[in-house]
Amino acid sequence: MRRVRRLLTWTLVVAVALCGLTGLEAWPLTGWRLFSSRRHPVVLRYEARVLTAAGEARVPFGSLPHGYSGSGPVLERMAGQAAPEREPACAAWAAATTQALGAPVTEVRVYAVEDDLRHRSRHETLAWTCGRAAP
Amino acid sequence: MSAASTRPPFAAVRTALAVVIGVRLALSPFAAAVGQPQALWLPRGTGLIVPRPPSVAVVVGLQLLGVAGVVLHLWRRRLTPFVVAWVCLLLLAGVRTSLGKILHNDVLLVLATAPVLLAGRDPDEQEARTGLNAAAVIVLLSYLAAGWWKLLSSGPAWALSDNLRWSLVAGRGGARWSDLAGWLVARPVACIGLACGILTLEAGAFVVWLRPRLAPLFVAAATLMHVGTWLVLGLDYFAHLATVAVVLLGWARMRRVSCRPTSQEGLPTSDPPVGRKTACCDEKTLS
């Protein structure tokens, strides 16, 4: 038993080292790639907005339940998906935003946004729409 | 002449890690992860073993079970309740990292505690030393890997460019002390100096393994880095920092203790050997 525990201990250390060296993500083992990519003054990202009777507004992720907070990785995953695959996430955002704003959401619009931190300017293009309410 | 016991530093580390896990389980907003729609569930790690986001009852139940495990461990010195608390933290942190972004806040606490648990309930000298050595290696590897990836992905430009400055500009929305973030953003040279310090700390972590007496200095520098990160970006790495302090300071104490000569009765003596290298010391004992 003692030898097994010792073997497990050093196997864990080797696994931690290998993941750190190769960048493999197998949570809780991780590559520790914390802020490793160099930041540039121009940042590319996706931004979700909703369309209501009052017009277009950002999805208020800050005031939605914490379970909605990981929108960045979800949007990046959606960028590689076909339209029908995007619908469940969009429907979830539309329903939560309808409740938060108290106004029915008729469509979710996702923009590809290019933020220029140097000049405090932004350029955006409509990437896709989804979560359209039935007429 | 034999080495003094390494078991007291090990026991202190184990107790402190149990307290950190207990505090984390009690105060961390794990329940906030509840209510996530299935469509937004990106399971990772232990999140993979549950098909859907857990209910409030399950999350709060795991938190209570974990805290009870820590209390029982501290009270009765049993190992099993501590293992239960560790598993609760593993599961809950896995659920939280399944919200989308891979979270590292609890990872080091989970990983570095594992060898301390694997040492067994009443470890002998060898087991205690193996457990603490392994925990210290994991802590140092986490920094070394972070530095390695910065150099591999961005090269020296990670520190010698405006990289940190742009990171501060982009993350300023979450800052706890926005005046400090603004002050740094307005001073590119200060940002480069800070980035050089961060990279040196991370890539130079292995030096602590060779020179354990540098552990307090390393812990102080890591404290500055993580508290600074919290102030200017709002990222909470306090569990990570507590793990670093507990493990490295305990490990350094163990290395000191195990280098101290003992009398024939096994008690540490006050007279260190002068000017020679001992079997387990990394440095010459000062005369």
Side-chain angles (χ1 to χ4, degrees), chain A residues 73-133:
Chain A
V74 175
L75 282 164
E76 277 167 29
R77 186 182 60 162
M78 286 168 83
Q81 289 178 327
E85 291 174 300
R86 292 173 183 152
E87 283 305 319
C90 286
W93 285 332
T97 309
T98 296
Q99 208 169 4
L101 299 180
V105 168
T106 52
E107 188 177 75
V108 176
R109 294 175 173 177
V110 177
Y111 288 84
V113 179
E114 199 179 276
D115 279 324
D116 189 333
L117 302 173
R118 235 175 343 204
H119 304 106
R120 296 189 179 184
S121 63
R122 56 191 277 148
H123 174 74
E124 54 190 41
T125 47
L126 184 64
W128 69 85
T129 60
C130 52
R132 201 163 295 148

Side-chain angles (χ1 to χ4, degrees), chain A residues 2 5-6 9-10 12 20-23 27-28 30-36 38-39 41 66-68 70 73 77 88-89 118, chain B residues 32 36-37 39 42 45 93-94 100 103-104 107 118-120 124 126-127 130 134 146 148-150 153-154 158 161 163 167 170:
Chain A
R2 188 178 152 170
R5 283 194 272 120
R6 203 164 172 198
T9 298
W10 291 114
L12 174 68
L21 195 68
T22 61
W27 200 96
T30 173
W32 299 105
R33 282 188 278 190
L34 301 163
F35 291 91
S36 61
R38 191 175 152 197
R39 277 274 188 174
H66 191 67
Y68 291 80
R77 186 182 60 162
R118 235 175 343 204
Chain B
Q36 186 186 31
L42 295 177
L103 299 175
H104 294 90
V107 166
L118 284 166
D124 59 22
Q126 182 66 37
E127 286 172 320
T130 301
W148 158 254
W149 277 104
K150 285 181 178 75
S153 303
S154 312
W158 189 91
S161 67
N163 167 50
S167 293

